[in-house]
Amino acid sequence: MRSPLLSKGRRTRIAKSVTMPAPLGGMNTRDSVLALPKLDSPRLSNIYPREGYLEVRGGFSSFSTGYATKPETLMTFSSLAGVQTLFANNYTGIYDITAGGAIGAAVIARTDGRSQWTMFGDGTSNWLCSFNGVDKPAFYNGAAWTAVDAVSVPAITGVTTTGLIGAMSYQGRLFLIEKDKLKFWYLPPGVVGGAATAFDLAAQCSRGGYLMAAMPYTYDGGSGLDDLAVFVTSMGEAIVYKGTDPGTAANWVKVGTYYIGTPMGRRCLAKMGGDLLVLTQTGIVKMSSAMSGITNDAQFYISDKIRPTFIQDVKSYNSFFGWEIMVYAREGALVVNVPTSAASFKQYIMNTTTSAWSQFSNWTGCAFGTLNGQLYYANPVAAYSVNVAWSGTTDAGNPISSEIRTANYSFGSGNKKQSKLVLFNTSGTASATLLAYADGQSVGASGDCSFSGTQNLPRSLAIYPAVQIGVSLGLVTSAAFKHYGTTFTFEDGSIL
């Protein structure tokens, strides 16, 4: 018996399903969108890549209000008993904001809100030491504030204290940075006052400039005699010393001078594990790599995956105040604050365990700090405030808009593809829009949908690539949820 011939114009297409894992490798703007590793993403907005899933970032809410001028520094005092106090510094004074709400009277007057600070212990008290290069340094021992000069208690002599703009606690001494000078001052060991002695760094620097910041480099993750002192200049040189007494050659040995790139402001240093990170115009440099002579970008810059985007931000926004780098231990996150104007900001966020990057928005913070492990930021936009961040599921009562976009998938075929079903593997509830990209270009959106837990989005998005290479999916949400992956069901072949 003969079987009828099938028409050449009609072919049976078989639906295929492919699981697209959540892009836990984080944001990658270095590589072509068409050639990204499958676990990377060209865009993660307000999404934090955790180990095993992606999560919408925590929200923010107002914490401290009533400022007459914008706060631009947050400082945390920790007592010997472990009790913490949070202070905000604006252009009228320093305020104790630990309890939140409307601020009271200033604890000490200030005329500049941009301060650098450090904690120092003298064996009897812990001290918060704050410097802005304009006012006398403000020291606090848990009981009283002191505007420090040559006759105060404590007192610093030998240097004009109003010119001091930064400090470092290293090997039981306070090291002081003088504004617009290529030298540092150091005090006697174990005290917060006394006669300051100068140490000139000019002969150690081939590029000139002035001393920008300093921080201990604890490369073994602990604290001891093998720690190093790192001094960063405005021209991008890091001068590294080892020892306990700059006044004694045998106890103060230069390790080397290393070029790391121009630092982005004075808040350019952060400790992360056993390394010291430097926020520079060309990326975030690991001191361990700089000192090892590594030149490979992927090892030299911890920010290598987002370096093109970061460098463009530096070109566009380097004149604005608010560049800062810090580690937020509670969430295991490196926070890099980027001012995009005098009143707008974004953050690059890196998971310190996986090194996966993402980008946050809508946190208008020019300075960050913590109190009892919780993150806060200073909001310089009227009405000025300090906000609690990475807390709750809304931004001051409004939904948090986020976006996840996958890498480009060809699904093993160069044919055109038609979407039949999209299965979200999620937990939580969200309102979402599904986006599709063909060979890197947007080709459609599903329209709004809502889902809770693992949900299907049935045949609401057709994908017809102009060039038959592959597709990527984007998910725009406006609620808190966790995302583990997406199963994409499609027909492979010509357009139906």
Side-chain angles (χ1 to χ4, degrees):
M1 179 176 178
R2 296 180 179 179
S3 300
L5 295 175
L6 292 175
S7 169
K8 293 182 179 180
R10 298 179 60 190
R11 295 181 180 178
T12 302
R13 285 175 295 277
I14 299 175
K16 303 177 181 179
S17 294
V18 177
T19 297
M20 306 164 77
L24 301 180
M27 195 165 67
N28 181 342
T29 62
R30 175 196 61 199
D31 300 324
S32 167
V33 68
L34 300 182
L36 288 183
K38 298 309 180 188
L39 287 179
D40 286 359
S41 167
R43 180 170 174 78
L44 287 179
S45 176
N46 287 331
I47 292 290
Y48 186 52
R50 296 193 181 277
E51 296 93 317
Y53 59 93
L54 302 178
E55 183 178 58
V56 177
R57 66 154 172 82
F60 77 85
S61 59
S62 178
F63 176 73
S64 172
T65 60
Y67 299 89
T69 61
K70 54 188 176 183
E72 293 190 324
T73 305
L74 297 180
M75 305 178 290
T76 306
F77 171 80
S78 298
S79 72
L80 290 173
V83 178
Q84 292 193 340
T85 308
L86 184 62
F87 296 97
N89 184 177
N90 70 355
Y91 287 78
T92 57
I94 295 176
Y95 299 85
D96 183 345
I97 63 169
T98 307
I103 60 172
V107 294
I108 190 170
R110 302 280 90 181
T111 63
D112 194 294
R114 300 176 182 179
S115 297
Q116 284 61 242
W117 62 279
T118 189
M119 286 292 300
F120 182 81
D122 63 6
T124 301
S125 301
N126 282 351
W127 293 83
L128 189 160
C129 307
S130 173
F131 309 81
N132 63 25
V134 178
D135 302 307
K136 297 175 184 179
F139 284 18
Y140 177 65
N141 65 356
W145 284 86
T146 302
V148 177
D149 56 20
V151 296
S152 61
V153 180
I156 295 177
T157 61
V159 61
T160 303
T161 60
T162 53
L164 299 176
I165 198 167
M168 167 181 69
S169 174
Y170 173 70
Q171 298 291 16
R173 292 179 188 263
L174 264 183
F175 288 71
L176 310 174
I177 299 173
E178 188 175 5
K179 186 177 180 180
D180 299 334
K181 302 291 184 181
L182 197 49
K183 63 181 177 182
F184 63 82
W185 298 79
Y186 61 95
L187 297 180
V191 293
V192 293
T197 304
F199 191 97
D200 199 336
L201 292 169
Q204 313 303 323
C205 305
S206 62
R207 298 171 182 262
Y210 53 87
L211 188 56
M212 182 71 82
M215 187 172 283
Y217 173 24
T218 311
Y219 55 87
D220 60 1
S223 179
L225 294 177
D226 57 349
D227 292 357
L228 304 176
V230 179
F231 301 90
V232 177
T233 74
S234 61
M235 297 304 293
E237 291 180 290
I239 306 98
V240 181
Y241 281 90
K242 181 177 181 179
T244 60
D245 184 2
T248 305
N251 292 328
W252 190 251
V253 179
K254 181 183 176 184
V255 177
T257 298
Y258 308 90
Y259 182 71
I260 54 174
T262 305
M264 294 301 297
R266 296 190 181 276
R267 300 172 182 178
C268 61
L269 299 176
K271 297 178 184 179
M272 189 179 80
D275 219 327
L276 179 64
L277 305 181
V278 189
L279 180 62
T280 77
Q281 288 187 355
T282 51
I284 301 166
V285 176
K286 298 184 289 186
M287 276 305 302
S288 60
S289 297
M291 294 178 64
S292 300
I294 291 172
T295 58
N296 179 277
D297 283 353
Q299 295 176 294
F300 192 75
Y301 296 104
I302 200 172
S303 56
D304 183 58
K305 269 192 176 182
I306 60 166
R307 195 169 171 227
T309 308
F310 179 85
I311 290 176
Q312 185 56 53
D313 286 340
V314 170
K315 291 178 180 178
S316 300
Y317 311 126
N318 69 86
S319 63
F320 296 117
F321 172 76
W323 290 88
E324 182 177 2
I325 184 170
M326 69 168 293
V327 172
Y328 180 37
R330 175 172 289 181
E331 296 292 349
L334 179 69
V335 178
V336 181
N337 198 46
V338 178
T340 56
S341 73
S344 60
F345 304 83
K346 67 179 180 180
Q347 295 79 35
Y348 289 114
I349 308 292
M350 189 193 80
N351 184 311
T352 57
T353 300
T354 66
S355 298
W357 287 95
S358 62
Q359 181 178 305
F360 289 3
S361 63
N362 209 35
W363 286 357
T364 55
C366 67
F368 284 77
T370 61
L371 173 66
N372 298 321
Q374 179 60 55
L375 187 65
Y376 295 81
Y377 66 81
N379 168 34
V381 182
Y384 312 123
S385 64
V386 172
N387 296 339
V388 57
W390 218 319
S391 175
T393 58
T394 67
D395 282 349
N398 299 308
I400 302 170
S401 179
S402 63
E403 181 177 352
I404 301 168
R405 184 175 165 187
T406 70
N408 204 59
Y409 281 74
S410 66
F411 305 111
S413 166
N415 295 329
K416 297 179 181 180
K417 302 165 181 70
Q418 185 179 37
S419 166
K420 303 299 291 183
L421 188 72
V422 177
L423 175 67
F424 297 112
N425 187 356
T426 68
S427 62
T429 301
S431 298
T433 299
L434 178 67
L435 305 177
Y437 302 84
D439 306 332
Q441 303 298 316
S442 178
V443 293
S446 68
D448 293 336
C449 63
S450 297
F451 59 84
S452 176
T454 300
Q455 292 288 329
N456 296 338
L457 183 62
R459 197 188 171 102
S460 58
L461 181 63
I463 303 174
Y464 303 132
V467 181
Q468 298 86 21
I469 297 177
V471 299
S472 61
L473 298 180
L475 186 64
V476 179
T477 72
S478 58
F481 79 113
K482 298 176 182 178
H483 180 64
Y484 302 90
T486 304
T487 299
F488 180 56
T489 301
F490 64 97
E491 288 183 348
D492 188 26
S494 59
I495 298 175
L496 288 175

